[in-house]
Amino acid sequence: MSDNWRSRIITQGAARSPNRAMLRAVGFGDGDFQKAIVGVANGHSTMNPCNAGIQPLVDRAAAAVKAAGAMPQVFGFPTVTDGIGMGTEGMKYSLVSREVIADSIETAVNGQLMDGVLCVGGCDKNMPGAMMGMARIDVPGIFVYAGTIKPGFWKGQKLTIVSPFEAVGALAAGKISQEDFDGIEKNACPSVGACGGQYTANTMSSSFEALGMSLLGSSQMASPDPEKADSAGESAKVLVAAIRKNIRPRDIITRKSIENAVAMVMATGGSTNAVLHYLAIASAAGVKWSIDDFERIRRRVPVLCNLKPSGPYVATDFHAAGGVPQVLRMLLAHGLAHGECMTITGRTLAEELANVPEEPRAGQDVIRPWNKPVYAQGHLAILKGNLATEGCVAKITGLKQTSITGPARVFDSEPAAMTAILARKIKAGDVIVIRYEGPKGGPGMQEMLAPTSALIGQGLGESVGLVTDGRFSGGTWGMVVGHVAPEAYVGGTIALVKEGDSITIDAKKRLIRLNVSAKELAARKKKWKQPKPRYTRGLLAKYMKLVSTASKGAITDG
């Protein structure tokens, strides 16, 4: 084993006594000082349903670590809840929290020289933040997902957290009654667990199975169900074994395993945020990976799962139909997954999938047979053009029309756009531009779930385009394009758009273009002045100074 807690502290004679004395105060006995110390990174929070069910999983994991002959040491990391912060200044801390989580885990594990770490998280940024932290420190690690929420119901309609957001627009448009609006809001979240569609949390957790850093079959379990706690205990046993075998994250997180993970994102119809997060994870692991690699995978991988937000099914349905192992086995059988990749168990992905059938079982429509996919190609396309020379991300499936050319409706913040949408000032054929919401300009690249959901609620999801240097929720669908780079705050072309300018979004051609001459844009650029920063002190100001462009993952340590 490499330079670890035991080699630095236990064997340093003069330091041994005071260090042992402090550890005795937290439960170490004479026989415990030669055991591996395993950090249990705890994202428990009662502020949101995503993380409110974590503590029992942490307790189960810690007990399993001890039973396996190691010493668990629990520490916390913060979480920000997108669904609660959406549309407020609090939402600006969401992506920022990914960096804080990675920093917190790095600080605790390296600062206390732990031999391994088990991370338990729920809400969207918990997963990538934890994986970035584990990749940086490169001691044996495993991720345990808190589990998905169970679906809510109102008048026979299956609900997720996106349902209340869409209901806002529907009520404003007079499409639903106040009774139905209240019923949707009161019944959308019936239990603890992360948002139930294939939104960002479930996208990232399922991709971690494909990456090899979580146990197969564990990511789509419902948070309150006993099997979720069982999987936390089993994950702890596997981690202790990995510590003894010295299996490290960078042995597992490779270019090929990231291809497996991104193929899973495409096959399940996952979130646009996966693009940002895998750019960041690859960077933390020292793996060469670019925004163009997502387009390479997209062209090869079909969408096999009929999941929300573009389909009718939720994560618990996916789990019951065979979940991630079933989809991975299908990808492997058709040459679209690398079976030789190592997993945290010490076995290869192909070995882990050996007993899974090559086709999904009959009588269900959640996972489609290979010859009848939901879509023949992946849904997350990388668009480029003069409006986004570094690229941007579009969700292109489930749309009747895959291109639009229309007049720009320009807003310098998400709240300003939301006000116009609720006032019914946006018409079919418009292309909304929301700018100065990028990594630096926001700062923090907040999500645009409120405006996109309001458009859908008003029946405009198919006929209005939306372009932003901010992000989208995993629950967003429609003619939407995010992560536009360079962003407005650094003088990207999106900063030069004027009200009424013609904009073209063409998903099939992977094109995003401002239909204004280069000469005119050059003249506008000369007159453009960078706005004053929205924050000058504290975390957001620090983030604004450090953060990279979205096309490199909006990272702060690159």
Side-chain angles (χ1 to χ4, degrees):
M1 196 171 289
S2 71
D3 191 15
N4 58 22
W5 185 87
R6 291 192 299 282
S7 65
R8 283 200 184 185
I9 295 181
I10 293 300
T11 61
Q12 291 174 7
R16 185 192 310 174
S17 179
N19 284 302
R20 283 191 172 193
M22 294 187 75
L23 288 171
R24 288 184 191 278
V26 293
F28 278 65
D30 286 344
D32 295 329
F33 293 103
Q34 297 302 322
K35 295 176 180 177
I37 291 183
V38 178
V40 181
N42 184 358
H44 178 76
S45 170
T46 58
M47 185 63 191
N48 68 76
C50 314
N51 291 57
I54 285 179
Q55 191 59 50
L57 307 183
V58 168
D59 294 341
R60 183 71 172 271
V65 166
K66 198 156 192 177
M71 294 301 289
Q73 297 294 286
V74 179
F75 64 90
F77 63 79
T79 188
V80 171
T81 309
D82 295 8
I84 293 173
M86 200 75 66
T88 73
E89 286 294 289
M91 187 62 202
K92 293 182 179 180
Y93 284 88
S94 172
L95 186 61
V96 177
S97 77
R98 185 191 72 180
E99 309 301 302
V100 175
I101 291 166
D103 291 349
S104 298
I105 292 170
E106 177 187 350
T107 299
V109 175
N110 279 352
Q112 299 300 307
L113 300 166
M114 295 173 181
D115 298 307
V117 62
L118 180 148
C119 301
V120 190
C123 202
D124 292 9
K125 307 311 172 296
N126 295 185
M127 273 72 69
M131 196 59 63
M132 290 161 64
M134 287 191 283
R136 282 185 202 168
I137 58 182
D138 201 33
V139 301
I142 194 169
F143 187 83
V144 176
Y145 185 40
T148 184
I149 200 170
K150 294 184 175 182
F153 291 90
W154 175 248
K155 293 184 177 180
Q157 177 187 358
K158 192 174 285 186
L159 304 175
T160 69
I161 186 58
V162 175
S163 305
F165 283 93
E166 293 182 356
V168 170
L171 183 68
K175 293 179 177 289
I176 62 171
S177 66
Q178 186 67 46
E179 177 196 6
D180 287 335
F181 179 85
D182 293 340
I184 291 169
E185 181 267 317
K186 290 178 180 179
N187 292 281
C189 296
S191 73
V192 295
C195 302
Q198 196 65 349
Y199 310 145
T200 304
N202 283 326
T203 294
M204 296 307 297
S205 65
S206 60
S207 74
F208 283 3
E209 291 186 39
L211 189 66
M213 289 292 291
S214 289
L215 295 187
L216 280 177
S218 66
S219 69
Q220 306 297 299
M221 296 172 177
S223 184
D225 288 352
E227 66 175 353
K228 184 69 257 186
D230 292 343
S231 78
E234 181 61 24
S235 297
K237 287 173 56 181
V238 168
L239 176 59
V240 174
I243 292 170
R244 290 173 179 147
K245 297 173 187 173
N246 199 23
I247 300 172
R248 296 166 177 265
R250 292 194 185 191
D251 299 326
I252 298 169
I253 306 172
T254 64
R255 184 170 172 83
K256 286 185 176 180
S257 72
I258 291 176
E259 287 186 352
N260 288 346
V262 173
M264 177 59 55
V265 172
M266 296 296 179
T268 57
S271 168
T272 54
N273 286 304
V275 175
L276 274 180
H277 297 330
Y278 271 102
L279 286 166
I281 290 166
S283 176
V287 174
K288 184 180 179 181
W289 190 262
S290 77
I291 193 170
D292 295 320
D293 285 312
F294 294 94
E295 181 61 29
R296 177 173 56 84
I297 301 297
R298 183 194 72 80
R299 292 179 184 180
R300 297 166 49 204
V301 178
V303 178
L304 298 171
C305 299
N306 202 13
L307 301 171
K308 286 181 178 288
S310 55
Y313 299 108
V314 296
T316 50
D317 299 323
F318 182 35
H319 183 57
V324 172
Q326 179 62 77
V327 175
L328 272 176
R329 185 68 178 90
M330 296 167 72
L331 293 172
L332 183 63
H334 291 85
L336 294 175
H338 301 286
E340 71 274 22
C341 288
M342 173 73 72
T343 73
I344 187 62
T345 65
R347 295 185 293 273
T348 66
L349 184 64
E351 289 171 335
E352 290 288 308
L353 296 169
N355 296 322
V356 179
E358 290 188 5
E359 284 293 317
R361 72 168 193 271
Q364 55 82 38
D365 188 47
V366 185
I367 305 173
R368 296 282 183 84
W370 189 265
N371 62 355
K372 294 183 179 178
V374 182
Y375 302 104
Q377 291 183 316
H379 62 301
L380 300 181
I382 305 303
L383 277 55
K384 291 187 177 181
N386 69 344
L387 193 50
T389 55
E390 292 178 13
C392 56
V393 184
K395 232 180 196 178
I396 64 173
T397 51
L399 299 173
K400 294 175 183 176
Q401 61 175 39
T402 56
S403 66
I404 185 173
T405 295
R409 304 297 310 280
V410 182
F411 303 93
D412 286 347
S413 69
E414 184 265 357
M418 189 64 181
T419 298
I421 292 167
L422 292 181
R424 309 300 301 277
K425 293 181 179 179
I426 304 300
K427 307 299 180 186
D430 287 346
V431 178
I432 298 171
V433 175
I434 304 177
R435 63 191 181 189
Y436 296 105
E437 293 289 6
K440 291 181 180 291
M445 226 179 160
Q446 65 176 323
E447 291 180 351
M448 304 294 152
L449 180 60
T452 58
S453 296
L455 288 169
I456 289 166
Q458 292 179 7
L460 296 173
E462 297 269 8
S463 58
V464 169
L466 194 153
V467 177
T468 181
D469 51 9
R471 298 183 296 122
F472 294 112
S473 163
T476 293
W477 66 275
M479 182 63 71
V480 297
V481 179
H483 311 190
V484 168
E487 63 174 294
Y489 189 80
V490 300
T493 305
I494 191 172
L496 310 179
V497 182
K498 291 185 177 181
E499 185 81 9
D501 282 349
S502 172
I503 291 177
T504 295
I505 304 169
D506 193 321
K508 287 186 177 179
K509 293 181 179 178
R510 295 183 291 110
L511 173 70
I512 183 164
R513 183 176 62 222
L514 176 61
N515 299 311
V516 173
S517 71
K519 182 178 180 180
E520 171 62 19
L521 290 177
R524 293 182 187 182
K525 184 67 179 285
K526 285 184 179 180
K527 295 179 180 178
W528 176 82
K529 292 182 179 180
Q530 187 177 68
K532 291 182 179 179
R534 290 173 174 171
Y535 297 86
T536 57
R537 299 292 300 273
L539 177 60
L540 294 184
K542 186 189 303 183
Y543 179 87
M544 188 176 177
K545 292 175 183 177
L546 295 174
V547 69
S548 76
T549 177
S551 65
K552 294 185 178 179
I555 57 174
T556 56
D557 67 336

